[in-house]
Amino acid sequence: MERAKLTAKLGDAMLKQMAVEYKAKEYEAGDRLLGEYLESVRAAYRGLRDSGRNARKKPAGFKDLEIHLRKSARVLEDLSKLVPFEERQPLQQAVEEVAEIRTGLLEALMSGSKDTAPRSGI
């Protein structure tokens, strides 16, 4: 729960720094930050999934991460427009992964299931 809340706060700062790097055409630096950001999101998601908590009854953390991912998906899509087509693949993959994780969170919140793994198996 705490990791999810912290990821939401730190994630915003990481996304802002990624925007700075991509705007400055520092694509490798932006991609490094993107990798760190995704690892942070994955860890928060795993923590929620492995907690065994019922997301519908105790949504703290689940909602925080879902809201953050909803916003970050739009930011990542906007960032991909700053990057030349040949450099976009990491951002496009990140948008897809964020969407999959968000789907898993939404399914857990709506169904009340303890299993928050999205159907793709992240």
Side-chain angles (χ1 to χ4, degrees), residues 14 18 21-22 26-39 90:
M14 293 178 87
M18 268 186 261
E21 299 296 344
Y22 286 128
E26 297 292 334
Y27 305 125
E28 288 182 26
D31 289 349
R32 260 192 315 279
L33 280 169
L34 179 61
E36 291 173 22
Y37 170 76
L38 286 174
E39 188 51 45

Side-chain angles (χ1 to χ4, degrees), residues 25-98:
K25 299 183 182 187
E26 297 292 334
Y27 305 125
E28 288 182 26
D31 289 349
R32 260 192 315 279
L33 280 169
L34 179 61
E36 291 173 22
Y37 170 76
L38 286 174
E39 188 51 45
S40 175
V41 168
R42 289 180 199 122
Y45 180 65
R46 279 191 305 269
L48 290 170
R49 185 182 62 207
D50 297 345
S51 72
R53 288 189 8 244
N54 183 314
R56 191 168 190 159
K57 291 182 181 178
K58 296 184 179 180
F62 290 88
K63 281 186 174 181
D64 295 316
L65 188 58
E66 188 279 324
I67 290 167
H68 169 73
L69 293 179
R70 184 179 344 139
K71 293 175 185 175
S72 70
R74 287 189 296 254
V75 171
L76 291 170
E77 287 175 8
D78 290 344
L79 288 177
S80 71
K81 296 172 185 170
L82 298 173
V83 177
F85 181 77
E86 9 352 292
E87 302 285 335
R88 283 187 194 162
Q89 186 174 4
L91 281 164
Q92 290 172 334
Q93 289 173 336
V95 168
E96 291 171 13
E97 185 172 351
V98 163

